[in-house]
mmCIF file of all heavy atoms in Angstrom:
data_model
loop_
_atom_site.group_PDB
_atom_site.id
_atom_site.type_symbol
_atom_site.label_atom_id
_atom_site.label_comp_id
_atom_site.label_asym_id
_atom_site.label_seq_id
_atom_site.Cartn_x
_atom_site.Cartn_y
_atom_site.Cartn_z
ATOM 1 N N VAL I 272 -65.739 -21.763 64.953
ATOM 2 C CA VAL I 272 -64.783 -22.714 65.266
ATOM 3 C C VAL I 272 -65.436 -24.168 65.193
ATOM 4 O O VAL I 272 -64.917 -25.075 64.438
ATOM 5 C CB VAL I 272 -64.130 -22.542 66.549
ATOM 6 C CG1 VAL I 272 -63.104 -23.501 66.926
ATOM 7 C CG2 VAL I 272 -63.758 -21.108 66.887
ATOM 8 N N ARG I 273 -66.590 -24.314 65.700
ATOM 9 C CA ARG I 273 -67.162 -25.673 65.669
ATOM 10 C C ARG I 273 -67.690 -26.027 64.277
ATOM 11 O O ARG I 273 -67.541 -27.104 63.853
ATOM 12 C CB ARG I 273 -68.362 -25.584 66.701
ATOM 13 C CG ARG I 273 -68.115 -26.527 67.893
ATOM 14 C CD ARG I 273 -69.250 -26.403 68.856
ATOM 15 N NE ARG I 273 -69.169 -25.083 69.567
ATOM 16 C CZ ARG I 273 -70.223 -24.261 69.573
ATOM 17 N NH1 ARG I 273 -71.299 -24.429 69.020
ATOM 18 N NH2 ARG I 273 -69.897 -23.044 70.168
ATOM 19 N N ALA I 274 -68.107 -25.012 63.610
ATOM 20 C CA ALA I 274 -68.638 -25.248 62.230
ATOM 21 C C ALA I 274 -67.481 -25.691 61.410
ATOM 22 O O ALA I 274 -67.602 -26.616 60.599
ATOM 23 C CB ALA I 274 -69.225 -23.953 61.601
ATOM 24 N N ALA I 275 -66.303 -25.040 61.497
ATOM 25 C CA ALA I 275 -65.153 -25.443 60.806
ATOM 26 C C ALA I 275 -64.705 -26.859 61.078
ATOM 27 O O ALA I 275 -64.378 -27.633 60.166
ATOM 28 C CB ALA I 275 -64.021 -24.403 60.948
ATOM 29 N N GLU I 276 -64.720 -27.143 62.326
ATOM 30 C CA GLU I 276 -64.313 -28.533 62.805
ATOM 31 C C GLU I 276 -65.297 -29.586 62.160
ATOM 32 O O GLU I 276 -64.807 -30.597 61.717
ATOM 33 C CB GLU I 276 -64.273 -28.674 64.323
ATOM 34 C CG GLU I 276 -62.971 -28.350 64.885
ATOM 35 C CD GLU I 276 -62.890 -28.167 66.374
ATOM 36 O OE1 GLU I 276 -63.971 -28.571 67.065
ATOM 37 O OE2 GLU I 276 -62.054 -27.414 66.795
ATOM 38 N N GLN I 277 -66.587 -29.359 62.232
ATOM 39 C CA GLN I 277 -67.522 -30.246 61.809
ATOM 40 C C GLN I 277 -67.347 -30.593 60.298
ATOM 41 O O GLN I 277 -67.533 -31.709 59.908
ATOM 42 C CB GLN I 277 -68.948 -29.807 62.064
ATOM 43 C CG GLN I 277 -69.483 -30.076 63.481
ATOM 44 C CD GLN I 277 -70.686 -29.360 63.670
ATOM 45 O OE1 GLN I 277 -71.205 -28.606 62.860
ATOM 46 N NE2 GLN I 277 -71.085 -29.374 64.972
ATOM 47 N N HIS I 278 -67.048 -29.540 59.445
ATOM 48 C CA HIS I 278 -66.961 -29.814 58.067
ATOM 49 C C HIS I 278 -65.528 -30.102 57.587
ATOM 50 O O HIS I 278 -65.343 -30.302 56.303
ATOM 51 C CB HIS I 278 -67.431 -28.591 57.398
ATOM 52 C CG HIS I 278 -68.921 -28.356 57.567
ATOM 53 N ND1 HIS I 278 -69.365 -27.588 58.548
ATOM 54 C CD2 HIS I 278 -70.021 -28.836 56.969
ATOM 55 C CE1 HIS I 278 -70.628 -27.605 58.511
ATOM 56 N NE2 HIS I 278 -71.128 -28.415 57.657
ATOM 57 N N LEU I 279 -64.571 -30.206 58.486
ATOM 58 C CA LEU I 279 -63.105 -30.389 58.174
ATOM 59 C C LEU I 279 -63.099 -31.703 57.263
ATOM 60 O O LEU I 279 -62.117 -31.791 56.333
ATOM 61 C CB LEU I 279 -62.309 -30.405 59.312
ATOM 62 C CG LEU I 279 -60.857 -30.325 59.073
ATOM 63 C CD1 LEU I 279 -60.474 -29.035 58.401
ATOM 64 C CD2 LEU I 279 -59.979 -30.305 60.376
ATOM 65 N N ASP I 280 -63.743 -32.775 57.706
ATOM 66 C CA ASP I 280 -63.675 -34.086 56.893
ATOM 67 C C ASP I 280 -63.882 -33.939 55.489
ATOM 68 O O ASP I 280 -63.261 -34.698 54.697
ATOM 69 C CB ASP I 280 -64.520 -35.048 57.585
ATOM 70 C CG ASP I 280 -64.123 -35.385 59.005
ATOM 71 O OD1 ASP I 280 -62.927 -35.341 59.324
ATOM 72 O OD2 ASP I 280 -65.002 -35.749 59.916
ATOM 73 N N ALA I 281 -64.793 -33.116 55.134
ATOM 74 C CA ALA I 281 -65.219 -32.899 53.777
ATOM 75 C C ALA I 281 -64.464 -31.978 52.976
ATOM 76 O O ALA I 281 -64.657 -31.672 51.801
ATOM 77 C CB ALA I 281 -66.762 -32.607 53.702
ATOM 78 N N ALA I 282 -63.549 -31.375 53.653
ATOM 79 C CA ALA I 282 -62.763 -30.158 53.048
ATOM 80 C C ALA I 282 -61.748 -30.520 52.001
ATOM 81 O O ALA I 282 -61.332 -29.730 51.241
ATOM 82 C CB ALA I 282 -62.194 -29.253 54.198
ATOM 83 N N GLY I 283 -61.220 -31.693 52.133
ATOM 84 C CA GLY I 283 -60.253 -32.198 51.228
ATOM 85 C C GLY I 283 -58.906 -31.998 51.680
ATOM 86 O O GLY I 283 -57.903 -32.504 51.142
ATOM 87 N N VAL I 284 -58.691 -31.173 52.718
ATOM 88 C CA VAL I 284 -57.368 -30.965 53.303
ATOM 89 C C VAL I 284 -57.566 -31.113 54.862
ATOM 90 O O VAL I 284 -58.589 -30.766 55.306
ATOM 91 C CB VAL I 284 -56.634 -29.683 53.025
ATOM 92 C CG1 VAL I 284 -56.081 -29.649 51.617
ATOM 93 C CG2 VAL I 284 -57.724 -28.507 53.148
ATOM 94 N N ALA I 285 -56.438 -31.526 55.529
ATOM 95 C CA ALA I 285 -56.525 -31.917 56.939
ATOM 96 C C ALA I 285 -56.217 -30.668 57.794
ATOM 97 O O ALA I 285 -56.574 -30.678 58.933
ATOM 98 C CB ALA I 285 -55.651 -33.042 57.258
ATOM 99 N N HIS I 286 -55.528 -29.692 57.241
ATOM 100 C CA HIS I 286 -55.066 -28.599 58.050
ATOM 101 C C HIS I 286 -56.145 -27.517 58.016
ATOM 102 O O HIS I 286 -56.644 -27.085 57.011
ATOM 103 C CB HIS I 286 -53.822 -27.996 57.533
ATOM 104 C CG HIS I 286 -53.286 -26.947 58.395
ATOM 105 N ND1 HIS I 286 -53.061 -27.008 59.770
ATOM 106 C CD2 HIS I 286 -52.866 -25.579 58.102
ATOM 107 C CE1 HIS I 286 -52.700 -25.958 60.271
ATOM 108 N NE2 HIS I 286 -52.438 -25.065 59.304
ATOM 109 N N PRO I 287 -56.819 -27.168 59.234
ATOM 110 C CA PRO I 287 -57.881 -26.250 59.333
ATOM 111 C C PRO I 287 -57.711 -24.957 58.603
ATOM 112 O O PRO I 287 -58.586 -24.478 57.838
ATOM 113 C CB PRO I 287 -58.319 -26.190 60.820
ATOM 114 C CG PRO I 287 -57.135 -26.879 61.489
ATOM 115 C CD PRO I 287 -56.389 -27.638 60.584
#
Side-chain angles (χ1 to χ4, degrees):
Chain I
V272 187
R273 245 168 296 123
E276 266 168 22
Q277 276 167 7
H278 294 93
L279 193 58
D280 293 334
V284 281
H286 185 50

